Amino acid sequence: MQPNPHSPITIAGAGLAGALLATLLARRGWSVDVFEKRPDPRRKGYEGGRSINLALAERGLDALRQAGLQDVVMQQAVMMRGRMVHALDGAQQLQRYGRDDSEVIWSVHRGRLNVALLDAAEAAGARIHFHQRLDSVDFERRVALFVNDHDRTARPQPFEAMLGADGAGSGLREAMRPYVALGERFEPLLHGYKELEIPPAADGGFRIEPNALHIWPRGEYMCIALPNTEKTFTVTLFLPMKGERSFHALPDLATARAFFERDFADAVPLMPGFDADWTDNPVSGLGTLSLQRWHLNGRAVLLGDAAHAMVPFHGQGMNCAFEDCIALDRHLAAAGNFETAFAGFEAERRPNADAIQAMALENYIEMRDRVDDDDYLLQRQLEVTLAERHPGRFLPRYSMVSFTTIPYATAFERGKVQRQILVEATRGCATLSDVDLAAADALVLARLSPL
């Protein structure tokens, strides 16, 4: 079917990706209806059920700039210069993400960001309908049925194209299954998470360094803490679900407190509400969802977590979803029909989604196991040195992912080459002065083409 500026497009999900996509499409003149099963967070308060803050990096910022929302969002963001690593003995070390404060990531409040995006979507002309859960889709007739679970009313919605931005539990993906082989695969991490909080200090300020992502790495598990504008930190414990050190091994509050006092001793005094948080907050699971196909002819397409949910350890889930929105908007504007647009979008984005999913899993191991390892620290030093000696050719993988819009797949492949160079160049070395920099330079020039 031929897209035109007045074609009715229906978006399932008014979360971060759905609201941003609605803004972009409505500004181009599309007739956009967005359906969200939750209530309007601007009236009922945010009911996310997940971490209240997210890591915003250059990819997400680029999308917000294109939507004209950067200034609104950045007013509520807290800069994070790097990882503040907390050793078992209480020692702290800041490991910068980039060269200086021009290369940082930002902690943003999920709820406030969602509200800003909803306001922008409506201002652009999109119509947003809340308390509307996608119940079924007749793809032949191009009619979706939405149900209000509060009053049990049903609403049929004609569409020319359905866009699924309705998260990892996507109703649109469920509706597509009988019509197309999605090649769906879910890989649970076998680790879960529980959220706690560091409140403001008595004077109303931050209790610990605000401009950092704090990490307590402990091998097979870790805690992290991200700052909020309210001068709080959202603390997340990542732990195996079963085993000697696991959520299963913490059956009650007393055991959990003893575990924290032993393994995260310097964090416990920062959390006066630990007992209530531990008791009240659930343990949630983690996993990676991947699909071999994201679209159904010219009728429907999935994006964001609906197509490629990932573990949160690279802070790229939202950033990747925002890139999806920019790419889908571009393909819809350029293609002659929905089928071509959806196929082109999938061909561009699926390899990149696969790459960031793999890097997110690798980053978990790095964060919990390697950030306080001597070999890792030496390789980080050499990585910075080689980046200075070979600008435009050697760029740390984290920098490619977080501070550029270089495709994830490119960053993943170049990162493998760079990691091997670092391993070879530091083999048998105790300090940076032991490294043969001329030999390292030769490896860079031989194996890496200019970016």
Side-chain angles (χ1 to χ4, degrees):
M1 183 172 289
Q2 177 78 25
N4 68 72
H6 303 290
S7 294
I9 286 183
T10 298
I11 299 176
L16 302 180
L20 176 62
L21 183 59
T23 302
L24 296 168
L25 295 178
R27 286 185 176 183
R28 287 194 188 271
W30 296 92
S31 176
V32 181
D33 282 278
V34 187
F35 291 81
E36 170 57 53
K37 66 182 179 181
R38 295 172 299 175
D40 188 340
R42 297 165 295 185
R43 295 181 180 152
K44 293 289 187 180
Y46 181 65
E47 297 180 2
R50 295 162 60 186
S51 176
I52 63 171
N53 49 12
L54 297 158
L56 179 64
E58 175 57 29
R59 296 167 197 275
L61 279 168
D62 181 63
L64 292 173
R65 287 187 205 106
Q66 294 189 45
L69 290 168
Q70 180 185 9
D71 292 344
V72 172
V73 173
M74 293 306 288
Q75 289 173 6
Q76 299 289 342
V78 181
M79 179 178 67
M80 296 187 291
R81 293 187 173 94
R83 300 166 174 166
M84 184 69 77
V85 180
H86 295 250
L88 192 59
D89 62 6
Q92 299 180 27
Q93 179 190 37
L94 178 66
Q95 297 178 4
R96 271 193 174 270
Y97 288 131
R99 296 167 297 179
D100 52 38
D101 282 358
S102 68
E103 294 184 335
V104 298
I105 59 176
W106 302 86
S107 178
V108 295
H109 187 286
R110 181 190 292 271
R112 280 196 291 270
L113 176 57
N114 202 173
V115 166
L117 291 169
L118 290 171
D119 287 343
E122 288 186 332
R127 296 168 295 277
I128 307 178
H129 314 277
F130 295 96
H131 288 301
Q132 298 291 315
R133 175 181 56 80
L134 179 60
D135 186 72
S136 61
V137 183
D138 184 334
F139 289 105
E140 296 302 321
R141 294 177 52 236
R142 281 187 157 93
V143 176
L145 184 67
F146 291 92
V147 173
N148 184 323
D149 287 325
H150 292 268
D151 62 17
R152 303 307 302 169
T153 56
R155 171 177 178 162
Q157 172 72 13
F159 65 88
E160 289 189 19
M162 280 281 293
L163 314 182
D166 49 347
S170 171
L172 182 56
R173 189 178 68 243
E174 179 72 22
M176 290 168 64
R177 281 196 189 107
Y179 295 87
V180 61
L182 296 173
E184 186 173 348
R185 186 174 74 254
F186 180 75
E187 298 177 5
L189 186 62
L190 305 182
H191 288 221
Y193 70 96
K194 181 186 279 278
E195 293 187 350
L196 309 164
E197 184 181 73
I198 296 174
D203 63 2
F206 287 100
R207 287 177 182 256
I208 51 177
E209 167 59 45
N211 297 124
L213 189 157
H214 294 258
I215 303 180
W216 289 260
R218 298 297 182 260
E220 289 296 312
Y221 51 96
M222 67 177 182
C223 266
I224 66 171
L226 274 72
N228 300 301
T229 51
E230 298 87 349
K231 307 300 193 295
T232 64
F233 284 82
T234 300
V235 180
T236 309
L237 170 66
F238 295 98
L239 193 65
M241 298 298 284
K242 295 182 179 180
E244 183 180 356
R245 296 280 193 273
S246 69
F247 283 112
H248 181 73
L250 304 175
D252 52 48
L253 176 60
T255 309
R257 177 169 274 279
F259 168 67
F260 264 78
E261 289 174 346
R262 181 187 69 236
D263 285 14
F264 307 107
D266 63 326
V268 174
L270 304 172
M271 297 185 286
F274 176 89
D275 290 3
D277 288 345
W278 185 270
T279 302
D280 296 342
N281 296 346
V283 175
S284 301
L286 297 163
T288 301
L289 169 74
S290 59
L291 306 177
Q292 292 302 306
R293 186 177 173 93
W294 293 7
H295 69 100
L296 172 60
N297 302 323
R299 291 171 170 80
V301 68
L302 302 169
L303 68 148
D305 282 355
H308 51 69
M310 66 191 73
V311 295
F313 304 112
H314 219 309
Q316 286 292 309
M318 171 185 65
N319 296 284
C320 182
F322 281 4
E323 273 198 330
D324 283 355
C325 294
I326 295 296
L328 183 54
D329 173 53
R330 185 177 68 251
H331 281 278
L332 284 168
N337 55 66
F338 285 119
E339 168 67 19
T340 301
F342 293 167
F345 164 72
E346 179 185 321
E348 174 186 339
R349 294 299 298 162
R350 189 155 61 86
N352 290 299
D354 291 344
I356 189 55
Q357 286 179 320
M359 289 188 282
L361 286 165
E362 289 181 7
N363 216 42
Y364 184 32
I365 297 170
E366 179 175 302
M367 291 170 74
R368 76 187 195 206
D369 289 1
R370 303 197 66 221
V371 291
D372 56 353
D373 177 80
D374 288 341
D375 289 341
Y376 170 81
L377 295 174
L378 175 57
Q379 289 171 18
R380 277 292 303 272
Q381 286 181 287
L382 179 58
E383 186 176 54
V384 171
T385 300
L386 292 178
E388 292 172 348
R389 293 165 74 92
H390 302 279
R393 189 184 293 262
F394 191 106
L395 187 60
R397 189 178 86 174
Y398 187 91
S399 297
M400 285 189 279
V401 170
S402 298
F403 308 137
T404 79
T405 56
I406 292 169
Y408 287 124
T410 302
F412 189 36
E413 292 307 316
R414 290 183 72 95
K416 293 176 184 176
V417 176
Q418 293 178 175
R419 173 62 62 84
Q420 188 58 36
I421 290 172
L422 296 174
V423 169
E424 290 181 28
T426 57
R427 189 172 289 131
C429 300
T431 67
L432 188 60
S433 60
D434 297 331
V435 175
D436 184 339
L437 290 178
D441 289 340
L443 292 175
V444 171
L445 294 172
R447 299 181 187 178
L448 292 171
S449 59
L451 281 163

